[in-house]
Amino acid sequence: MKVVALGVHILDVLARPVAEIPEGQGSQLVEQIKVTAAGAAGGTALTFAKLGAEVHSAGAIGTDNAGRMLAMLLEDFGISTKHLVRKPEFQTSATVLPIRPNGDRPAFHVVGATLGYGLDDVPMDLIASATHLHFGAPEFLGGEKAAVILAHARKHGVVTSADILAPGNPGLLEWIAPALPHLDYLLPNDEQVLGFTGASTLVDGCRMLLDRGVGCVAATAGADGALVVDAETSTAVPAFATDVVDTTGCGDAFSAGFMRGIALGRSLQASAELGCAAAAHVATGLGSDHGSFDLAGLDSYIAAAQQTGVGV
């Protein structure tokens, strides 16, 4: 699997546990502060790399220290950052996340260099040579530009997938609509699906997205796992029970695990199980890069959980 993780790359600064923000210039002690690579493309790239894929990041960062750190954090996982374009007029996209004791993650975000990434920056030759293109947050380029990239990928036999970073609303769906017929797999969360479509059930919402031209929708639903819907089937896959520390990056981990399963020729259900297992491991610690798992380890974890019924 040679995958291009294209789109939003973010430097995350996380602290936990943070029950409340101190007033004035007050301070409080926390157990952990961590800096990680993240984003709808960057976070997904991390799990792709852990699961044995050859990964190339493509997106925009600044020429600041944050950008250098972000590239280094990706390279530590063997991810190529050659195609992260440096934008001196922007700071690197970054987020500060005070993680609540229950794992919730309010965020303070600077969009930064993501806004400077354009069609001319996209490594079309690299995409043509890949087996998979994962588009993290195509809404930042817009549906028409995203469609050009995705159509180019499919012309060269590349499997295409995407997830959405922004909250779901009908206006956003129309903004990205031109890209949807060029997607083999769309990987939103349940709130996005229902917000995009106005459907009363997740199954109906996924089918409405199929009607827009998407080949398959794999929607995450937090503790309820995932729902995978294509033209013929609808499959619910439960989440694995785990002690949640931080949900940052769980959706990205699912996307990478699911698409890794697809690349290995696994069924939609088995691919979603791999995605849910990756997400469960990321949730047990701080940040998108948490967990030393690999493909063999996740397969053993899934098999043990299914055999004993414990953890499912």
Side-chain angles (χ1 to χ4, degrees), residues 6 117-125 127-128 133 135 138-139 141-158 160 162 175-183:
L6 173 75
Y117 195 66
L119 200 55
D120 291 342
D121 296 316
V122 177
M124 292 296 198
D125 289 344
I127 290 170
L133 170 64
F135 206 143
E139 63 268 27
L141 274 178
E144 292 185 2
K145 292 179 180 178
V148 172
I149 301 165
L150 293 165
H152 171 77
R154 294 181 84 180
K155 177 182 177 181
H156 289 86
V158 179
T160 59
W175 173 241
I176 64 171
L180 299 181
H182 304 286
L183 278 174

Side-chain angles (χ1 to χ4, degrees), residues 64-276:
D64 50 9
N65 289 334
R68 286 188 284 275
M69 180 172 287
L70 176 54
M72 179 190 70
L73 291 167
L74 292 166
E75 291 162 2
D76 283 347
F77 285 86
I79 297 165
S80 171
T81 62
K82 176 182 177 181
H83 296 282
L84 284 179
V85 181
R86 274 65 173 176
K87 299 284 184 179
E89 67 272 32
F90 292 97
Q91 74 168 78
T92 297
S93 302
T95 303
V96 175
L97 295 138
I99 306 303
R100 302 190 197 280
N102 68 352
D104 286 347
R105 48 186 178 95
F108 302 92
H109 183 62
V110 172
V111 178
T114 296
L115 290 175
Y117 195 66
L119 200 55
D120 291 342
D121 296 316
V122 177
M124 292 296 198
D125 289 344
L126 175 67
I127 290 170
S129 71
T131 62
H132 291 72
L133 170 64
H134 181 73
F135 206 143
E139 63 268 27
F140 281 95
L141 274 178
E144 292 185 2
K145 292 179 180 178
V148 172
I149 301 165
L150 293 165
H152 171 77
R154 294 181 84 180
K155 177 182 177 181
H156 289 86
V158 179
V159 177
T160 59
S161 60
D163 65 353
I164 309 300
L165 187 59
N169 64 68
L172 180 63
L173 181 62
E174 296 308 320
W175 173 241
I176 64 171
L180 299 181
H182 304 286
L183 278 174
D184 295 308
Y185 300 92
L186 179 62
L187 303 154
N189 62 42
D190 52 351
E191 293 180 356
Q192 289 169 331
V193 172
L194 298 177
F196 285 148
T197 64
S200 57
T201 70
L202 187 55
V203 173
D204 288 344
C206 289
R207 295 208 177 280
M208 291 171 71
L209 293 173
L210 294 182
D211 291 341
R212 293 289 193 125
V214 177
C216 175
V217 179
T220 56
D224 292 328
L227 178 70
V228 185
V229 181
D230 65 6
E232 291 80 32
T233 62
S234 173
T235 305
V237 176
F240 294 89
T242 191
D243 293 327
V244 175
V245 170
D246 172 27
T247 58
T248 303
C250 289
D252 300 329
F254 174 86
S255 294
F258 179 82
M259 292 308 303
R260 185 70 176 117
I262 294 296
L264 292 167
R266 300 184 183 185
S267 68
L268 293 176
Q269 178 170 338
S271 296
E273 289 168 352
L274 186 61
C276 286

